[in-house]
């Protein structure tokens, strides 16, 4: 079986041997009801009515070091529709806030400037302080203790020293979560190849 995966800009062809046991999962997002609102309107509405929290402007009052953890180039978060409103609201609460956008690369490679522009837009990239996390840079980490596994709990120093730490993003299942072992192996082999 041949299928085109939604990968990068043009997609990627994948050939699955018919002897493999696999299932095809398809998104039903196209069947969701339309709101008639733009992405910007939805973000502004959500920020005006946060669930279980004060508005970002109130949280930012009297906070000097504000860090927004942002998804990296591997996540399709619509940051150019979220971050400008977060920045505006933080500055509404504290015009003097020192704001850093911390790109959460985890163990991924560094996000390039071009990828940052694609994600945030040129204005954000050229006007805001952006730091791309580097998990191999131990000088950029703070050890906050020991995990139950015995491993050290290392956190990016910029995040650990923030007076206000917030993040943008969305919650989604990981593409290897809850799949049978043979599907995980297939996906891991595909990613490695």
């Amino acid at each position: 079986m041949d299928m085109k995966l939604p990968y990068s800009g043009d997609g990627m062809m994948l050939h699955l041997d018919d002897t493999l046991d696999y299932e095809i999962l398809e998104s039903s997002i196209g069947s969701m009801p339309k709101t008639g609102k733009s992405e910007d309107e939805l973000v502004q509405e959500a920020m005006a009515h946060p669930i279980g929290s004060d508005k970002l402007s109130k949280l930012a009052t009297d906070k000097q070091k504000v860090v927004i953890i942002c998804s990296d180039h591997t996540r399709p978060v619509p940051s150019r529709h979220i971050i400008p409103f977060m920045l505006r609201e933080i500055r509404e609460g504290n015009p003097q806030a020192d704001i850093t956008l911390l790109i959460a690369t985890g163990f991924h490679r560094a996000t390039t400037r071009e990828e940052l522009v694609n994600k945030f837009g040129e204005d954000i990239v050229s006007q805001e302080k952006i730091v791309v996390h580097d998990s191999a840079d131990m000088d950029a980490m703070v050890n906050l203790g020991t995990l139950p596994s015995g491993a050290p709990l290392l956190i990016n120093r910029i995040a650990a020293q923030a007076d206000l730490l917030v993040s943008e993003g969305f919650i989604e299942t990981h593409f290897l979560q809850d799949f049978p072992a043979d599907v995980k192996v297939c996906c891991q082999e595909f990613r490695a190849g």
Side-chain angles (χ1 to χ4, degrees):
M1 172 182 201
D2 292 320
M3 69 170 61
K4 188 172 187 177
L5 297 177
Y7 177 82
S8 188
D10 301 325
M12 176 184 283
M13 292 304 295
L14 173 67
H15 173 76
L16 294 175
D17 187 325
D18 289 335
T19 62
L20 292 174
D21 183 21
Y22 59 86
E23 292 181 38
I24 298 174
L25 306 176
E26 294 187 45
S27 172
S28 60
I29 195 163
S31 65
M32 294 182 71
K34 306 282 188 238
T35 65
K37 297 177 184 175
S38 70
E39 289 173 285
D40 289 346
E41 290 171 320
L42 291 170
V43 169
Q44 290 178 76
E45 186 177 290
M47 290 185 67
H49 305 97
I51 299 170
S53 175
D54 289 326
K55 288 181 62 177
L56 191 51
S57 57
K58 185 172 181 182
L59 295 174
T61 303
D62 299 326
K63 302 295 191 274
Q64 288 310 112
K65 290 183 181 179
V66 178
V67 176
I68 304 174
I69 298 175
C70 303
S71 300
D72 73 358
H73 58 282
T74 67
R75 301 293 183 254
V77 176
S79 300
R80 69 176 52 234
H81 296 283
I82 299 171
I83 293 300
F85 298 113
M86 291 182 78
L87 291 168
R88 184 180 73 195
E89 188 146 339
I90 289 167
R91 290 186 173 122
E92 179 183 307
N94 182 2
Q96 306 307 316
D98 176 13
I99 304 171
T100 302
L101 303 180
L102 179 59
I103 310 303
T105 56
F107 291 113
H108 298 153
R109 66 165 172 78
T111 304
T112 67
R113 185 180 197 289
E114 180 182 356
E115 289 166 333
L116 290 171
V117 170
N118 286 339
K119 188 162 194 60
F120 298 109
E122 181 63 45
D123 288 347
I124 298 288
V125 174
S126 62
Q127 296 171 17
E128 299 296 336
K129 184 181 354 175
I130 298 176
V131 175
V132 178
H133 172 76
D134 178 359
S135 63
D137 182 2
M138 290 300 116
D139 291 336
M141 304 299 172
V142 174
N143 187 336
L144 296 181
T146 304
L147 295 167
S149 67
L153 173 59
L154 300 175
I155 302 294
N156 186 288
R157 184 177 307 280
I158 294 167
Q161 295 176 345
D163 298 318
L164 176 62
L165 181 64
V166 295
S167 65
E168 59 98 39
F170 57 76
I171 299 170
E172 65 177 344
T173 57
H174 194 276
F175 69 97
L176 293 181
Q177 182 64 33
D178 295 325
F179 285 149
D182 57 337
V183 174
K184 289 180 187 178
V185 169
C186 172
C187 292
Q188 289 166 347
E189 289 173 2
F190 172 71
R191 289 183 66 211

